[in-house]
Amino acid sequence: MLILSAHVDLRGATVSNTDRELFVLAARVGQRLMKDGLKLTTAESCTGGWIAKALTDVPGSSQWFGEGFVTYSNDAKVRQLGVPRSALRSHGAVSEVVARAMARGAVKRTGATHAVAVTGIAGPDGGLPGKPVGTVWFCWASSCGVRVRVQAERKRFRGNREAVRRKTVHWALARLLRLDSTGSL
């Protein structure tokens, strides 16, 4: 049985050693969301659904996580999240503008109170001047009635593709723990 408290008890949960840290983070995120009656959605590109996977590894996650979007292609970002094609043309998929649009789109399409969006270059190819491999844009969104507040942040992670993606998932979850009691980031 999984017990969510100040300390996460893993009894009964099957978690590999490599995913243990992500599981604990996800469980803590879930505990916070559940306590405050909040719902989370995800909009992922470079992580390919890994954030949603980490969240749904937690038993009972359906109480605070309803759905997630994997929008790896630009067309998927436009179709599923309403990212403007003009933003993709002007700024590229790995940009603050696109991360913000992804997070806003996820909240608006699901009715969730919160979203986390990630778009980046995991490598080993794809780096550009000003956007080297390991560049990731994050955006966290919170819904306040009809208004959606967003906070974006750029990080650069070093390592191979697996490392960049894992660090991205870790940072996305860790940052969600900064929610205050009103659900603001």
Side-chain angles (χ1 to χ4, degrees), residues 23-37:
F23 181 89
V24 170
L25 272 173
R28 290 179 58 210
V29 166
Q31 177 183 1
R32 172 72 61 82
L33 292 166
M34 194 163 52
K35 176 181 144 253
D36 295 331

Side-chain angles (χ1 to χ4, degrees), residues 9-172:
D9 186 338
L10 299 176
R11 289 180 288 186
T14 304
V15 181
S16 71
N17 286 338
T18 58
D19 286 337
R20 186 179 212 60
E21 187 176 0
L22 295 179
F23 181 89
V24 170
L25 272 173
R28 290 179 58 210
V29 166
Q31 177 183 1
R32 172 72 61 82
L33 292 166
M34 194 163 52
K35 176 181 144 253
D36 295 331
L38 305 173
K39 297 280 187 178
L40 178 66
T41 187
T42 58
E44 303 180 62
S45 185
C46 63
T47 50
W50 198 345
I51 298 168
K53 183 242 187 271
L55 294 167
T56 58
D57 280 347
V58 178
S61 57
S62 63
Q63 295 175 60
W64 42 267
F65 180 79
E67 60 195 292
F69 299 89
V70 177
T71 56
Y72 204 71
S73 72
N74 287 349
D75 283 341
K77 289 173 182 65
V78 171
R79 193 174 57 256
Q80 293 182 39
L81 298 170
V83 173
R85 285 192 191 281
S86 59
L88 290 160
R89 277 192 304 271
S90 299
H91 303 281
V94 181
S95 64
E96 179 177 4
V97 171
V98 169
R100 286 174 176 269
M102 289 170 66
R104 285 182 193 279
V107 166
K108 288 178 180 177
R109 281 164 168 69
T110 64
T113 57
H114 289 77
V116 58
V118 296
T119 182
I121 305 167
D125 306 336
L128 302 166
K131 293 183 186 178
V133 169
T135 301
V136 181
W137 272 101
F138 295 83
C139 188
W140 297 268
S142 59
S143 176
C144 311
V146 295
R147 189 167 166 244
V148 177
R149 291 183 297 196
V150 296
Q151 291 183 1
E153 180 178 16
R154 181 183 142 167
K155 298 289 279 181
R156 174 135 185 254
F157 299 116
R158 302 215 182 271
N160 64 18
R161 183 176 180 80
E162 175 85 3
V164 168
R165 295 175 73 218
R166 177 174 292 283
K167 290 172 185 177
T168 299
V169 173
H170 185 278
W171 186 253

